Amino acid sequence: MKLGFVAPIVGEQMNFNGRGSRNPPKRRISGRNLRNSCVAGNFDHVESPDFLHELEALRGRSCTTAEKRYEVLKVRDRILQRLRKHVNGVTAKKLIVERWIWRHMSGPLLERYRRIFQMSVNPFEKRPSGEPDHKFFVTDYSRSAADQEEPLCHELRSPKALVASMDYILKWMCNKPVTTQWYDFVWSRTRAIRKEITQQKIISPEAVGILEKCCRIHIFAAHHFCECSASDFDQQMNNENLTKSLQSLRHIYEDLAKRHIYLDSEAEFRCYDVLLNLRDSNILQQVFKLRVEVQATPEMRLAVNLFLAFNTSNYVRFFRMVISSCSFLQACLLHRWFGELRADTLRTLAVSYSKKIIRDTSDALTIGRNFQTVAQ
C-alpha cells in the first residue's frame, strides 16, 4: 500500500514556493495573506519547515501490513501535532481544522489500523470469513486521558458524517439479534459520536437528532436486558449514559431556544427526563421553568400525573396510566420503578390489614401481563 495521502492531509498540495530548492525562505504572514496561505496549503509561515520535510519523507512509503501502516500513520500524526503548535495565529489553526475535518463515517485510518493490528476488531465489522472489512468500520470509543493531545482535524467527523454514522448504525444493526454483544457494539459507537459532539461543541438540530436516538437506545436497552446479570449487562452504566444524553439534550434545547429554534420532539424527551427522576423532588421545579407550549403538551401532563401518583403511593392510578396512556418507550422507562412501587404497596396493605390475610391483591399488583401488552 502506498501512503500517498500523508502529505495532502496538511494541505491540498505541498507548495514550497521554491525554485529548484526544497528549502523555502522563512517569513511571517498575517491577516488576509495568512488566511489565503492556509487555504491554499502553503505553510511557509511555519517557523520550522523541517516538519513538512518529515511529512514528505513519509509519502509513498510502502506498507504491506496493518502494523506498518499503523506505525506510519502514528508518526504522521505525531508530526502534525508538532506542526500545529508552530502555526502562527489562531485563525490559521481554525482554517486548517475547518478545511480538513474528517468527512467519512468510518473514522480515522489510524484508529482502524490500530484495532486491526491489536486484533480488537468487533465481529460486526468483519466479513463472514472473519476478515476485517473497512466498509463496516465505525469509530470506536476511547476514553480521554489527562495528557492526551487535542485531536487533529482528520480525527474528527463533520456533523453530516456523525449523522450518517448514526443512521448507518441503526440501519445496519436493526436487523441483528438484540444481544449483549449487540449492545456493546452500539454503545461504544454511539458513545464515540457523543464524544465528538462535545469536543466540537456542535449545537444544531442535527446534534439533537443524534442525542435523541442515543436516548431511545438506552431506554430500550434498560428494559430489554433487565433480567441479565451484572456481568453481562451493566444497568448502572446504561443509566449513566442515558442521564448524560438527556443532560446534553437539555443544554442544547436551551441554546437553540436562545436562537428562537424550537423542536417538536422537545416535549417527548423532557417527559423522559421526568420519568427517569420520579424520586427527585426538584424535577417539578424544572418542569415549571419550561416554555408554556412544552408544559401544555400531553407528554408533560402525563409525566406530571405519573410523578404525583408515584410519590403519593397511588398505585392504582399509576398502573392504570401505564397501561392506558404510556407509549412503549415511556413504559420501558417506568419499568424500573415497578418493583419499588410494589414493595411500598405491600407495606401499605400490610399495615392496613394488620394481621389479617391479604386477599385479592394479585389484580392490583401483577401487571406483568398488561405491561407485555403495552410493549407489544
Side-chain angles (χ1 to χ4, degrees):
M1 176 183 177
K2 297 289 186 178
L3 294 181
F5 53 83
V6 174
I9 202 67
V10 182
E12 288 187 355
Q13 56 183 356
M14 299 301 294
N15 183 8
F16 293 103
N17 288 341
R19 297 182 179 179
S21 174
R22 299 186 65 84
N23 295 322
K26 294 182 180 180
R27 59 190 180 93
R28 293 182 179 274
I29 303 177
S30 60
R32 184 171 59 184
N33 293 333
L34 174 61
R35 292 191 293 271
N36 295 337
S37 176
C38 291
V39 172
N42 182 359
F43 288 85
D44 290 347
H45 59 282
V46 178
E47 296 180 359
S48 299
D50 293 339
F51 294 159
L52 303 182
H53 298 160
E54 294 179 23
L55 282 175
E56 186 68 18
L58 295 176
R59 189 173 186 176
R61 182 176 296 184
S62 178
C63 300
T64 57
T65 63
E67 180 181 1
K68 292 181 179 179
R69 296 170 190 172
Y70 168 71
E71 293 297 334
V72 170
L73 291 171
K74 189 175 180 180
V75 173
R76 179 203 65 178
D77 286 359
R78 191 180 298 118
I79 296 173
L80 291 177
Q81 289 284 3
R82 293 161 54 199
L83 176 62
R84 181 171 59 180
K85 295 178 181 179
H86 286 76
V87 174
N88 291 330
V90 177
T91 305
K93 294 182 181 180
K94 183 178 179 182
L95 283 171
I96 296 170
V97 171
E98 289 179 351
R99 188 164 184 81
W100 287 106
I101 194 166
W102 189 251
R103 298 186 182 277
H104 301 288
M105 70 178 182
S106 56
L109 288 172
L110 178 65
E111 189 263 350
R112 276 192 273 171
Y113 286 120
R114 176 185 60 79
R115 291 200 281 131
I116 295 175
F117 164 59
Q118 296 177 353
M119 302 182 67
S120 59
V121 180
N122 193 281
F124 291 110
E125 298 172 327
K126 296 180 179 180
R127 301 189 184 99
S129 60
E131 298 178 356
D133 193 338
H134 285 267
K135 68 180 181 181
F136 294 145
F137 272 64
V138 184
T139 303
D140 195 4
Y141 171 67
S142 60
R143 295 185 180 276
S144 300
D147 57 345
Q148 186 175 358
E149 294 282 354
E150 182 181 352
L152 292 166
C153 49
H154 61 273
E155 295 177 327
L156 299 174
R157 289 168 287 184
S158 66
K160 290 184 179 180
L162 292 174
V163 172
S165 298
M166 193 71 201
D167 293 341
Y168 168 79
I169 292 172
L170 295 178
K171 291 179 181 179
W172 172 248
M173 299 302 294
C174 66
N175 296 324
K176 304 291 182 180
V178 181
T179 61
T180 53
Q181 189 179 28
W182 175 94
Y183 172 81
D184 291 339
F185 177 82
V186 173
W187 171 83
S188 63
R189 272 57 183 180
T190 55
R191 182 66 185 88
I193 293 174
R194 291 197 292 116
K195 178 182 177 181
E196 292 192 28
I197 291 177
T198 303
Q199 287 177 324
Q200 301 181 58
K201 299 180 180 179
I202 302 175
I203 301 174
S204 65
E206 290 77 13
V208 170
I210 292 174
L211 292 173
E212 288 176 349
K213 292 172 183 176
C214 292
C215 290
R216 293 189 180 105
I217 291 173
H218 291 300
I219 292 173
F220 167 75
H223 169 63
H224 186 80
F225 299 108
C226 63
E227 297 181 355
C228 293
S229 61
S231 59
D232 295 330
F233 178 75
D234 192 340
Q235 191 72 249
Q236 182 178 358
M237 184 186 68
N238 184 74
N239 292 337
E240 289 178 358
N241 282 273
L242 174 58
T243 302
K244 291 179 180 178
S245 298
L246 288 172
Q247 183 179 4
S248 299
L249 274 177
R250 287 199 303 269
H251 295 325
I252 297 181
Y253 285 144
E254 294 171 359
D255 292 336
L256 290 177
K258 296 177 182 178
R259 306 176 188 175
H260 303 286
I261 300 176
Y262 306 104
L263 302 177
D264 296 334
S265 59
E266 180 178 356
E268 175 189 352
F269 290 88
R270 296 286 191 179
C271 171
Y272 294 153
D273 200 5
V274 175
L275 300 183
L276 184 64
N277 299 279
L278 290 182
R279 281 299 186 193
D280 187 359
S281 58
N282 297 322
I283 194 67
L284 287 185
Q285 297 180 5
Q286 299 180 16
V287 173
F288 296 147
K289 294 179 181 179
L290 300 176
R291 292 181 293 113
V292 178
E293 295 81 3
V294 176
Q295 295 184 33
T297 57
E299 293 89 346
M300 290 307 302
R301 290 200 298 267
L302 175 63
V304 172
N305 290 332
L306 286 167
F307 176 87
L308 296 175
F310 181 83
N311 285 277
T312 56
S313 298
N314 191 344
Y315 62 91
V316 175
R317 186 187 181 196
F318 181 88
F319 287 130
R320 282 178 178 173
M321 285 190 292
V322 171
I323 295 171
S324 61
S325 303
C326 287
S327 65
F328 171 67
L329 288 179
Q330 289 171 346
C332 288
L333 193 55
L334 289 169
H335 180 251
R336 68 188 63 216
W337 302 108
F338 289 175
E340 183 177 343
L341 187 56
R342 283 173 171 173
D344 291 342
T345 303
L346 282 174
R347 283 193 293 267
T348 302
L349 292 175
V351 172
S352 301
Y353 286 90
S354 185
K355 296 182 180 180
K356 296 180 181 179
I357 299 176
I358 301 176
R359 301 174 181 175
D360 300 329
T361 59
S362 58
D363 293 338
L365 298 178
T366 56
I367 66 163
R369 181 177 65 257
N370 294 328
F371 180 73
Q372 292 295 334
T373 303
V374 175
Q376 293 174 358

